[in-house]
C-alpha cells in the first residue's frame, strides 16, 4: 500500500496509533519549511501543520474511524482535503490519502500521502 501512495503522492508518511509521525521524513520537511536545519518531524503530529481546527478534527476523526470496521479493520482507505501551513505562513491546499494497517503489539498505524 505504501508503494501505491508513493506513486500518487509527493510525500508519504507513516503515523502511529497516536497519529504521530513514526520516522524521519525529509521530503515532508522540505515541502513545508525552508529551514534546512529543520529536516525531521519524527514524533510530531501532522495536525501541527494544519492551521484550521476543522481540518485537524476531520483528519483525526476520519483516520480513527478507518479502523472501526470489525469485519475488515484497516482495509478502508480514504481521502480528505485540508490545508497545511508551510514556511513563511504559506497555505497549501492538499489532498490527503490514508489507509490504516496493523502492527503487532501496537495500535493501528496509518500510511498517509
Amino acid at each position: 500500500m505504501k508503494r501505491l501512495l508513493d506513486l500518487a503522492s509527493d510525500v508519504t508518511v507513516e503515523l502511529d496509533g497516536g497519529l504521530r509521525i513514526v520516522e524521519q521524513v525529509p521530503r515532508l520537511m522540505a515541502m513545508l519549511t525552508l529551514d534546512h536545519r529543520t529536516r525531521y518531524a519524527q514524533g510530531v503530529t501532522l495536525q501541527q501543520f494544519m492551521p484550521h481546527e476543522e481540518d485537524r478534527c476531520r483528519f483525526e476523526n476520519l483516520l480513527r474511524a478507518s479502523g472501526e470496521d470489525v469485519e475488515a479493520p484497516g482495509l478502508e482507505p480514504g481521502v480528505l482535503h485540508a490545508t497545511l501551513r508551510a514556511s513563511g505562513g504559506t497555505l497549501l491546499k492538499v489532498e490527503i490519502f490514508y489507509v490504516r494497517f496493523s502492527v503487532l503489539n501496537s495500535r493501528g498505524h496509518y500510511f498517509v500521502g
Side-chain angles (χ1 to χ4, degrees):
M1 185 58 69
K2 183 178 183 305
R3 286 197 290 174
L4 181 59
L5 276 175
D6 285 340
L7 290 172
S9 305
D10 292 323
V11 176
T12 302
V13 299
E14 180 182 339
L15 305 179
D16 65 15
L19 303 181
R20 289 178 305 276
I21 297 171
V22 172
E23 56 190 31
Q24 300 171 346
V25 189
R27 289 179 70 185
L28 175 65
M29 296 315 294
M31 183 175 104
L32 296 177
T33 69
L34 294 177
D35 181 359
H36 298 293
R37 293 167 292 163
T38 309
R39 290 199 173 255
Y40 305 109
Q42 184 175 2
V44 302
T45 65
L46 195 57
Q47 301 92 289
Q48 289 178 250
F49 300 103
M50 296 178 184
H52 304 302
E53 178 68 24
E54 62 271 14
D55 285 345
R56 291 190 298 268
C57 289
R58 190 171 64 251
F59 178 78
E60 290 177 26
N61 291 336
L62 287 171
L63 265 68
R64 300 240 186 257
S66 72
E68 293 179 353
D69 184 352
V70 176
E71 292 181 27
L75 298 178
E76 189 64 36
V79 64
L80 73 136
H81 293 89
T83 301
L84 299 179
R85 183 180 309 277
S87 65
T90 303
L91 299 180
L92 304 172
K93 294 195 180 284
V94 296
E95 189 171 52
I96 300 172
F97 297 94
Y98 60 88
V99 65
R100 184 175 188 265
F101 66 97
S102 296
V103 175
L104 292 177
N105 300 324
S106 179
R107 292 168 49 188
H109 280 218
Y110 305 85
F111 284 131
V112 177

